Amino acid sequence: MTAADAAAPVTALRSGSRDDPVSEVWRTLLSADLDRYRALLAEALAPQRDYLTDAERALYDGGKKVRPLLLALSAHLVHGPGELPDKAARGAVSLEMLHVATLIHDDVVDESAVRRGVPSVNAARGPGQAIIVGDMQFVQAVRGFVECIDSDRDLGLVKSVLDVAHRICCGELDELRVDPSWRTEVLLERYWRTIDRKTAVLFALACECGIALVDGRTRDVRRIGHYGRRVGRAFQVMDDLFDLTQDESASGKPRGVDIARRRLSLPIVYAMAELGDGHRLSRFMRGDGPPPDDLTPLVDDVRATAGFARAYADARRQALDALEYLRPFPRNPYRDALERIALHVVDRGR
């Protein structure tokens, strides 16, 4: 990757969104898969109908459904354009239910009142009910994966789902147990391990399930998992950057939430190392005083550092690395779409 590759689209963080290939791929390449996904999701949610409120429905109705999309594209990558097996289509639904469970639990842990610009389940129902509802999504997700089993090989997939759920919990706990006084090298190592567990593993699982559920080769499952993991890393780093650049109208949450919660995201770790221990950002992140009424000066401090651009370069490097794992697969519209999405993750403006 050249210096120009790494630095060029930092302006995308400020200039607004580009064309959205996620929506385009759903609309054009995977329109039949989307219709099927919606029907199966309604079927999967039916046992919960009496317990769901508008807050949970908003989570399922909103978002771009990136993880089910990655599962479907990965499946078609080796299966071709024909209709996917039923277990693959149902796997996409179960994967999204697992994702929704993590979102609900995240908002409880973070005490978040808003998710995607609307009241979170935590705000709408209180943390007690939110935890139970989140658990319900997780249990239903695992039940869905179990129902996908039609071969001995699929049993390993269920174990993978449970392993991923365990890693996500570890990642959430790791994020809460970081000590800001640790050396920069330790903080960086901890950051990458945490986002691997908290975010990237679910992207990897989506891709792996896609190929595994169409009975693809084990080596292809591994390759596509590496692709998904790197896309997931890039996705999380970009979210960390957007926390510092997007206002509430774009992100659905106030700017600088990571600073307010003293969460050591990648650009903040880089900024602290660059600005030094005596700087107001470093002092605050290490526990010196309550959050200020106006976070703008601290946000601006981070954005003015070279570390902000360095974090973007790291995200872009992950996306470019992801493309390398697609090379062994035949060139077809599904591989093209996976390439576009990997690059869109770091080129999107919102």
Side-chain angles (χ1 to χ4, degrees):
M1 180 178 65
T2 68
D5 287 332
V10 174
T11 54
L13 299 175
R14 308 182 182 96
S15 62
S17 65
R18 301 183 177 190
D19 292 339
D20 177 12
V22 175
S23 299
E24 181 185 341
V25 168
W26 274 128
R27 186 179 66 253
T28 57
L29 194 60
L30 298 178
S31 60
D33 295 86
L34 181 58
D35 290 341
R36 194 176 177 193
Y37 165 85
R38 288 170 173 158
L40 290 174
L41 177 63
E43 178 184 316
L45 291 176
Q48 305 181 41
R49 185 181 298 112
D50 293 341
Y51 301 99
L52 298 181
T53 67
D54 289 344
E56 295 82 48
R57 294 188 190 97
L59 287 177
Y60 282 110
D61 292 341
K64 296 180 179 178
K65 300 168 181 59
V66 173
R67 293 153 193 83
L69 178 87
L70 291 175
L71 187 152
L73 285 175
S74 299
H76 282 293
L77 185 64
V78 298
H79 182 266
E83 182 177 88
L84 295 177
D86 187 65
K87 62 181 180 179
R90 293 184 181 276
V93 170
S94 296
L95 187 76
E96 185 67 1
M97 299 185 84
L98 179 58
H99 177 227
V100 166
T102 68
L103 296 181
I104 294 172
H105 287 158
D106 278 352
D107 288 340
V108 173
V109 172
D110 294 340
E111 299 180 352
S112 296
V114 176
R115 165 70 63 176
R116 297 173 182 164
V118 299
S120 66
V121 176
N122 178 60
R125 305 182 65 152
Q129 288 192 45
I131 289 171
I132 296 172
V133 171
D135 289 346
M136 186 180 291
Q137 307 320 299
F138 171 73
V139 170
Q140 190 68 3
V142 175
R143 286 176 62 186
F145 277 112
V146 170
E147 290 169 1
C148 290
I149 294 174
D150 66 6
S151 68
D152 290 342
R153 182 184 179 188
D154 292 338
L155 286 171
L157 183 61
V158 175
K159 181 180 183 300
S160 295
V161 172
L162 294 172
D163 286 345
V164 164
H166 174 75
R167 289 176 200 159
I168 290 172
C169 292
C170 290
E172 293 285 357
L173 288 170
D174 286 345
E175 187 173 52
L176 296 172
R177 296 168 64 190
V178 173
D179 186 338
S181 67
W182 290 341
R183 291 181 293 108
T184 299
E185 293 78 8
V186 177
L187 291 175
L188 290 174
E189 180 182 357
R190 183 70 168 230
Y191 172 83
W192 288 109
R193 188 181 78 172
T194 297
I195 71 165
D196 262 356
R197 291 174 165 180
K198 179 183 171 183
T199 303
V201 290
L202 198 52
F203 279 76
L205 179 66
C207 297
E208 291 167 356
C209 283
I211 291 184
L213 289 171
V214 295
D215 300 323
R217 297 178 299 184
T218 300
R219 64 184 179 184
D220 287 337
V221 172
R222 286 198 298 267
R223 285 170 178 156
I224 203 67
H226 288 307
Y227 161 89
R229 185 178 299 274
R230 279 150 184 81
V231 171
R233 289 174 183 169
F235 187 94
Q236 183 59 59
V237 175
M238 293 303 298
D239 269 7
D240 294 345
L241 292 167
F242 291 147
D243 176 69
L244 300 163
T245 61
Q246 293 183 337
D247 58 28
E248 192 165 356
S249 64
S251 66
K253 61 182 181 178
R255 183 181 298 174
V257 167
D258 286 340
I259 293 177
R261 293 174 178 156
R262 292 189 171 97
R263 293 287 176 85
L264 292 170
S265 68
L266 187 61
I268 291 172
V269 172
Y270 282 150
M272 289 171 60
E274 185 175 335
L275 295 170
D277 292 342
H279 190 274
R280 60 185 176 182
L281 172 74
S282 301
R283 294 199 310 271
F284 173 72
M285 296 302 294
R286 292 192 168 111
D288 184 4
D293 293 333
D294 183 7
L295 291 170
T296 302
L298 294 181
V299 170
D300 290 344
D301 289 341
V302 178
R303 292 179 60 179
T305 64
F308 183 84
R310 182 181 176 188
Y312 175 79
D314 285 350
R316 188 163 181 80
R317 187 175 299 109
Q318 292 293 328
L320 293 174
D321 285 348
L323 301 185
E324 294 301 311
Y325 289 100
L326 295 178
R327 289 186 180 275
F329 294 100
R331 174 66 68 181
N332 60 35
Y334 307 103
R335 176 179 152 180
D336 292 345
L338 288 166
E339 290 177 353
R340 289 179 61 203
I341 288 168
L343 294 175
H344 173 70
V345 163
V346 292
D347 289 345
R348 61 197 164 119
R350 59 194 306 171

